[in-house]
């Protein structure tokens, strides 16, 4: 399958990624990554692997890492990732596809939901294990430890964000405050019922806050990293086939 390297300029530097299956006529799926606590393990393609799975189903797929992870410069904050999201989606819009769908995982799902609520521009948005209230997943007293863990995954050692500022910025990106505004764009929520970070009750609250058209798929026994669960990926691809029909 054809893979084309891409580069997206942002205020923190150039973000690099990959466009998979660029000649697809079925439309483009953009993938937003989740947070990691370590550098990628050998043999794990990460979210590029999810993009490849999506492309194998006949779609074009674009994955660009956000700041603070892989080789992307900058420090992770939710506002920084929101800026990266805007840059990546502007880049995607310039690729010439008539239809674009967006998929996000964990914090990247929170960013994706907020982005579509504020900017639209897609035919559907899918959330894999999104937080509803960011402070539930990362309480204020956990922020220093969380930032230290995130720092282990950074491409280069950088001073972490100020904990108080980071926490306030994180709360400003609570998806539950934005999700109702996504309608009439279709939204899919995929959630594992054994997720140690986002509870099924939290996912249910986010789903209830969303307006139609919406769908919730619960994966029995699945944890937080749904890109590694074939059942979650299959549910995502089935939904993509509805919003981006391949013919």
């Amino acid at each position: 399958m054809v893979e084309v390297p891409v580069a997206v300029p942002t205020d923190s530097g150039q973000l690099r990624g990959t466009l998979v299956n660029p000649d697809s006529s079925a439309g483009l799926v953009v993938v937003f990554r989740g947070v990691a606590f370590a550098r990628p393990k050998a043999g794990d393609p990460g979210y590029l692997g999810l993009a490849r799975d999506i492309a194998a189903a006949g779609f074009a797929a674009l994955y660009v890492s956000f700041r603070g992870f892989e080789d992307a410069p900058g420090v992770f904050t939710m506002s920084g990732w929101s800026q990266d999201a805007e840059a990546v989606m502007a880049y995607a819009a310039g690729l010439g596809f008539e239809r674009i769908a967006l998929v996000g995982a964990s914090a990247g799902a929170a960013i994706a939901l907020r982005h579509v609520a504020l900017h639209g521009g897609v035919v559907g948005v899918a959330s894999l294990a999104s937080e509803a209230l960011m402070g539930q997943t990362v309480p204020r007293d956990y922020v220093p430890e969380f930032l230290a863990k995130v720092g282990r995954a950074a491409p280069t050692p950088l001073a972490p964000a100020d904990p108080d500022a980071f926490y306030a910025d994180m709360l400003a990106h609570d998806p539950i405050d934005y999700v109702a505004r996504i309608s009439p764009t279709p939204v899919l929520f995929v959630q594992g019922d054994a997720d140690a970070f986002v509870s099924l009750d939290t996912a249910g609250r986010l789903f209830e806050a969303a307006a139609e058209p919406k769908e919730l798929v619960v994966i029995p026994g699945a944890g937080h990293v749904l890109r590694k669960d074939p059942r979650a990926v299959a549910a995502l691809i089935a939904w993509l086939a509805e919003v981006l029909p391949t013919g």
Side-chain angles (χ1 to χ4, degrees), residues 25-200:
S25 61
L28 174 67
V29 181
V30 181
V31 175
F32 285 1
R33 63 162 299 126
V35 168
F37 291 157
R39 298 284 288 160
K41 294 181 179 179
D44 182 359
Y47 289 90
L48 176 57
L50 178 59
R52 288 169 175 161
D53 289 341
I54 291 168
F59 308 100
L62 175 67
Y63 168 64
V64 179
S65 186
F66 287 170
R67 68 186 68 191
F69 295 93
E70 297 177 47
D71 63 349
V75 176
F76 164 67
T77 63
M78 292 297 283
S79 59
W81 270 26
S82 290
Q83 293 169 27
D84 292 348
E86 292 182 28
V88 169
M89 294 308 290
Y91 179 89
L95 291 174
F97 292 90
E98 292 185 7
R99 295 165 298 171
I100 298 174
L102 178 56
V103 176
S106 190
I111 293 294
L113 295 172
R114 182 177 182 273
H115 179 87
V116 176
L118 295 178
H119 304 289
V122 299
V123 298
V125 56
S127 159
L128 307 181
S130 175
E131 294 83 354
L133 297 165
M134 301 298 296
Q136 284 187 341
T137 304
V138 186
R140 173 60 186 85
D141 59 1
Y142 176 57
V143 168
E145 181 181 349
F146 175 81
L147 291 175
K149 290 180 176 180
V150 166
R152 296 173 197 152
T156 56
L158 293 171
D162 172 76
D164 288 330
F166 178 88
Y167 186 69
D169 176 66
M170 188 178 63
L171 296 186
H173 289 76
D174 280 342
I176 204 164
D177 294 336
Y178 296 91
V179 69
R181 296 161 62 180
I182 292 172
S183 181
T185 300
V187 57
L188 170 70
F189 300 93
V190 184
Q191 179 65 41
D193 68 3
D195 190 327
F197 295 94
V198 178
S199 70
L200 191 57

Side-chain angles (χ1 to χ4, degrees), residues 195-243:
D195 190 327
F197 295 94
V198 178
S199 70
L200 191 57
D201 178 69
T202 295
R205 290 180 62 189
L206 188 59
F207 176 74
E208 289 301 321
E212 296 287 353
K214 60 183 179 179
E215 182 178 352
L216 172 63
V217 176
V218 177
I219 309 297
H224 190 61
V225 186
L226 292 176
R227 66 177 174 83
K228 295 183 177 182
D229 192 303
R231 299 167 298 169
V233 174
L236 170 64
I237 289 173
W239 178 83
L240 288 170
E242 295 179 3
V243 298

